[in-house]
Amino acid sequence: MFEDNYKHRGLRNKLVKILQKKGISDPRILAAIGKVPRHLFFDNALLEHAYQDKAFPIGEGQTISQPYTVAFQTEKLAVRPGDRVLEIGTGSGYQACLLLELGATVFTIEYNRKLHESVRAFLPLIGYRPYFFYGDGSKGLPSKAPFDRILVTAGAPVVPAALTDQLSDGGILVIPVGDREKQKMVRIRKKGSQLIKEEFDNFAFVPLLGEEGWEDPGKS
Ligand code: SAM
């Protein structure tokens, strides 16, 4: 039912080469991208889109992020095997699979109930088992904190204090911060009571909704 053949593997290897050319160099991340069957996150009819370096709609007005963006964020996150990683914005579940391939214990939270339910049912069928949560990840996931790494995959207006609070000492938060159209990738390292901030390139994510994010137009 979930076929992954030589043709898919060939397309994946091409994608890996494209990402290498764009500057992704961590061999573990490239190997993970070469392994996770991204085409299984797409309808059959859309196979040709699965291994292009672009974002794609996944329904519910949401997107599976562009592979380069996923790889860039993952590289900045510097995940080590055994790390407890919180992903905010499960979306399609693709990013969570990469984090699992890197040997992390993954907690992933999604705001959209339909997406949450469909991905929670689908990922185990292809062998990936993060811990799934439904809710407003702009407040983090206090019941499972602290985390070694926190990755936000939606654009935030500010860095929510709840997220830096839930980082362990030495922990890293990667989050796109800006306006609704464009955000700067921000990395924050926690060293004792100090937060060290770095800024990288601009990206365009769907908005992080919720209490510490943008107002949800669907909520009165
Ligand atoms: N990581 C995803 C992937 O691999 O496909 C891509 C995520 S998509 C760009 C952003 C996701 O963040 C959407 O599914 C959206 O519903 C979700 N989201 C937005 N606000 C959220 C919040 N406060 N808590 C959790 N998820 C949120």
Side-chain angles (χ1 to χ4, degrees):
M1 182 160 110
F2 295 120
E3 196 187 359
D4 185 30
N5 60 31
Y6 74 95
K7 185 175 156 197
H8 301 124
R9 286 192 288 277
L11 290 170
R12 270 206 296 285
N13 287 338
K14 273 194 191 151
L15 175 62
V16 166
K17 293 216 167 80
I18 291 170
L19 298 181
Q20 255 174 325
K21 274 204 185 118
K22 290 187 174 179
I24 303 300
S25 61
D26 184 329
R28 292 190 311 136
I29 294 174
L30 293 168
I33 288 170
K35 197 161 169 208
V36 177
R38 195 166 191 266
H39 63 281
L40 297 181
F41 294 77
F42 289 69
D43 282 346
N44 256 345
L46 300 171
L47 177 63
E48 63 188 280
H49 296 278
Y51 292 111
Q52 291 176 4
D53 187 26
K54 59 181 197 188
F56 206 79
I58 53 170
E60 296 295 306
Q62 300 304 334
T63 51
I64 178 167
S65 301
Q66 183 181 346
Y68 173 73
T69 305
V70 175
F72 185 91
Q73 284 200 293
T74 311
E75 211 163 57
K76 295 299 171 228
L77 201 62
V79 175
R80 303 156 304 180
D83 273 348
R84 289 166 57 83
V85 180
L86 172 62
E87 179 196 24
I88 298 167
T90 311
S92 68
Y94 176 72
Q95 169 82 70
C97 296
L98 291 183
L99 296 169
L100 288 165
E101 286 290 349
L102 295 175
T105 300
V106 180
F107 303 82
T108 183
I109 180 163
E110 173 55 53
Y111 187 82
N112 180 296
R113 187 187 280 275
K114 270 198 192 159
L115 271 182
H116 159 75
E117 281 173 0
S118 67
V119 176
R120 189 178 57 176
F122 167 64
L123 283 202
L125 298 179
I126 60 166
Y128 292 102
R129 291 181 179 77
Y131 296 101
F132 293 99
F133 295 84
Y134 164 64
D136 178 5
S138 74
K139 297 182 288 186
L141 188 59
S143 63
K144 301 290 174 194
F147 300 99
D148 303 303
R149 302 287 185 262
I150 300 180
L151 176 61
V152 182
T153 68
V158 292
V159 177
L163 301 188
T164 49
D165 288 349
Q166 290 171 37
L167 271 184
S168 59
D169 192 12
I172 298 177
L173 163 67
V174 173
I175 178 170
V177 182
D179 55 34
R180 274 183 176 258
E181 280 73 43
K182 196 175 81 194
Q183 306 89 27
K184 223 171 228 340
M185 196 63 77
V186 171
R187 174 162 70 182
I188 294 177
R189 288 170 190 271
K190 190 171 190 171
K191 293 255 153 71
S193 58
Q194 246 194 320
L195 295 174
I196 302 151
K197 182 176 168 187
E198 295 164 274
E199 289 187 347
F200 302 98
D201 301 354
N202 284 322
F203 289 85
F205 282 82
V206 297
L208 178 76
L209 302 177
E211 228 167 88
E212 305 287 324
W214 296 98
E215 198 177 323
D216 180 353
K219 254 192 186 158
S220 50

